[in-house]
Amino acid sequence: MEKLGVTAPARSVPQLARFLTRHLHWLAAQPPAADFAGETESLVAELRSTIDPDPTSLHTLIRQCVVEDCAGTISASPKNTGTSGSRSIECSAGHSWEMHEWLTLRQLMERQRKGVSA
Protein backbone atom coordinates (compact mmCIF):
# COMPACT_ATOMS: atom_id res chain seq x y z
CA MET A 1 0.00 0.00 0.00
CA GLU A 2 2.92 2.29 0.72
CA LYS A 3 4.20 2.07 -2.89
CA LEU A 4 0.77 3.07 -4.15
CA GLY A 5 0.42 5.85 -1.63
CA VAL A 6 -3.02 4.67 -0.51
CA THR A 7 -4.48 3.28 2.66
CA ALA A 8 -5.55 -0.34 2.90
CA PRO A 9 -9.20 -0.93 2.05
CA ALA A 10 -11.69 -2.20 4.60
CA ARG A 11 -11.86 -6.00 4.79
CA SER A 12 -15.14 -6.39 2.98
CA VAL A 13 -15.78 -7.91 -0.42
CA PRO A 14 -17.08 -4.67 -2.00
CA GLN A 15 -14.16 -2.57 -0.67
CA LEU A 16 -11.53 -5.14 -1.68
CA ALA A 17 -13.10 -5.56 -5.12
CA ARG A 18 -13.04 -1.78 -5.69
CA PHE A 19 -9.40 -1.63 -4.58
CA LEU A 20 -8.41 -4.46 -6.93
CA THR A 21 -10.30 -2.89 -9.83
CA ARG A 22 -8.76 0.57 -9.31
CA HIS A 23 -5.20 -0.76 -9.00
CA LEU A 24 -5.32 -3.77 -11.34
CA HIS A 25 -2.70 -2.48 -13.81
CA TRP A 26 -0.23 -1.68 -11.03
CA LEU A 27 -0.84 -5.02 -9.28
CA ALA A 28 -0.46 -7.00 -12.51
CA ALA A 29 2.92 -5.36 -13.17
CA GLN A 30 4.39 -6.56 -9.87
CA PRO A 31 6.87 -9.50 -9.96
CA PRO A 32 4.72 -11.86 -7.80
CA ALA A 33 1.67 -11.32 -10.05
CA ALA A 34 2.53 -14.29 -12.32
CA ASP A 35 2.88 -16.63 -9.31
CA PHE A 36 -0.40 -15.36 -7.88
CA ALA A 37 -2.15 -15.87 -11.22
CA GLY A 38 -0.78 -19.42 -11.45
CA GLU A 39 -1.92 -20.24 -7.92
CA THR A 40 -5.35 -18.76 -8.61
CA GLU A 41 -5.66 -20.74 -11.84
CA SER A 42 -4.77 -23.96 -9.99
CA LEU A 43 -7.34 -23.21 -7.31
CA VAL A 44 -10.04 -22.50 -9.91
CA ALA A 45 -9.22 -25.78 -11.73
CA GLU A 46 -9.41 -27.72 -8.46
CA LEU A 47 -12.74 -26.14 -7.55
CA ARG A 48 -14.18 -26.81 -11.02
CA SER A 49 -13.13 -30.46 -10.86
CA THR A 50 -14.86 -30.72 -7.49
CA ILE A 51 -18.06 -29.10 -8.75
CA ASP A 52 -18.10 -30.69 -12.22
CA PRO A 53 -15.79 -33.71 -12.35
CA ASP A 54 -14.50 -34.97 -15.66
CA PRO A 55 -17.01 -37.63 -16.73
CA THR A 56 -14.18 -39.95 -17.80
CA SER A 57 -12.88 -40.03 -14.24
CA LEU A 58 -16.20 -41.14 -12.75
CA HIS A 59 -17.21 -44.74 -12.28
CA THR A 60 -19.69 -45.54 -15.02
CA LEU A 61 -23.14 -46.54 -13.83
CA ILE A 62 -24.42 -49.63 -15.64
CA ARG A 63 -28.07 -50.66 -15.41
CA GLN A 64 -30.52 -52.84 -17.30
CA CYS A 65 -32.29 -50.90 -20.06
CA VAL A 66 -35.62 -49.36 -19.02
CA VAL A 67 -37.29 -50.16 -22.35
CA GLU A 68 -39.70 -53.07 -21.91
CA ASP A 69 -38.32 -56.44 -23.10
CA CYS A 70 -34.89 -54.97 -23.88
CA ALA A 71 -31.96 -57.11 -22.76
CA GLY A 72 -29.49 -54.26 -23.25
CA THR A 73 -27.65 -52.36 -20.56
CA ILE A 74 -27.48 -48.60 -20.06
CA SER A 75 -24.04 -47.19 -19.56
CA ALA A 76 -24.68 -43.84 -17.93
CA SER A 77 -21.57 -42.27 -19.33
CA PRO A 78 -22.75 -39.44 -21.63
CA LYS A 79 -21.41 -39.45 -25.19
CA ASN A 80 -21.26 -36.62 -27.70
CA THR A 81 -23.53 -37.30 -30.64
CA GLY A 82 -23.28 -35.89 -34.12
CA THR A 83 -21.67 -32.61 -35.08
CA SER A 84 -23.97 -30.54 -32.88
CA GLY A 85 -22.08 -31.61 -29.75
CA SER A 86 -25.29 -32.71 -28.04
CA ARG A 87 -24.91 -35.45 -25.46
CA SER A 88 -26.82 -38.70 -25.09
CA ILE A 89 -26.94 -41.83 -22.95
CA GLU A 90 -27.32 -45.11 -24.82
CA CYS A 91 -28.12 -48.72 -24.08
CA SER A 92 -26.12 -51.54 -25.64
CA ALA A 93 -29.12 -52.49 -27.83
CA GLY A 94 -29.27 -49.03 -29.40
CA HIS A 95 -31.85 -47.11 -27.36
CA SER A 96 -30.75 -43.53 -26.78
CA TRP A 97 -31.80 -40.65 -24.54
CA GLU A 98 -30.85 -37.04 -25.32
CA MET A 99 -29.91 -34.64 -22.54
CA HIS A 100 -33.43 -33.20 -22.26
CA GLU A 101 -34.70 -36.74 -21.51
CA TRP A 102 -32.24 -37.56 -18.73
CA LEU A 103 -34.54 -36.63 -15.85
CA THR A 104 -37.23 -38.94 -17.24
CA LEU A 105 -34.64 -41.67 -17.74
CA ARG A 106 -33.47 -41.22 -14.16
CA GLN A 107 -37.04 -41.63 -12.89
CA LEU A 108 -37.50 -44.79 -14.97
CA MET A 109 -34.22 -46.21 -13.67
CA GLU A 110 -35.26 -45.43 -10.10
CA ARG A 111 -38.62 -47.18 -10.60
CA GLN A 112 -36.82 -50.17 -12.08
CA ARG A 113 -34.42 -50.26 -9.13
CA LYS A 114 -37.36 -50.29 -6.70
CA GLY A 115 -39.08 -53.02 -8.71
CA VAL A 116 -42.02 -50.87 -9.82
CA SER A 117 -43.26 -51.47 -13.37
CA ALA A 118 -43.39 -48.42 -15.62
Side-chain angles (χ1 to χ4, degrees):
M1 307 299 154
E2 293 173 23
K3 290 182 182 180
L4 275 174
V6 297
T7 58
R11 293 194 173 265
S12 71
V13 173
Q15 292 293 327
L16 290 169
R18 276 193 283 281
F19 176 83
L20 290 173
T21 302
R22 284 185 193 134
H23 303 290
L24 181 61
H25 293 292
W26 182 85
L27 291 166
Q30 301 308 302
D35 291 337
F36 177 72
E39 290 174 19
T40 302
E41 186 176 346
S42 296
L43 178 61
V44 168
E46 184 179 342
L47 290 172
R48 281 193 178 134
S49 70
T50 301
I51 294 167
D52 187 19
D54 179 14
T56 59
S57 68
L58 297 175
H59 297 287
T60 301
L61 174 67
I62 299 176
R63 291 261 174 91
Q64 180 182 346
C65 184
V66 297
V67 175
E68 193 171 331
D69 297 324
C70 179
T73 55
I74 295 173
S75 174
S77 177
K79 299 174 185 160
N80 285 332
T81 57
T83 56
S84 67
S86 64
R87 297 172 68 84
S88 70
I89 294 176
E90 299 173 351
C91 97
S92 58
H95 299 110
S96 177
W97 294 267
E98 297 299 318
M99 190 181 291
H100 68 275
E101 300 171 302
W102 289 0
L103 287 175
T104 303
L105 175 61
R106 179 176 176 230
Q107 291 168 349
L108 292 171
M109 292 173 86
E110 189 63 25
R111 279 190 202 167
Q112 184 185 62
R113 187 182 69 76
K114 290 179 179 178
V116 177
S117 60

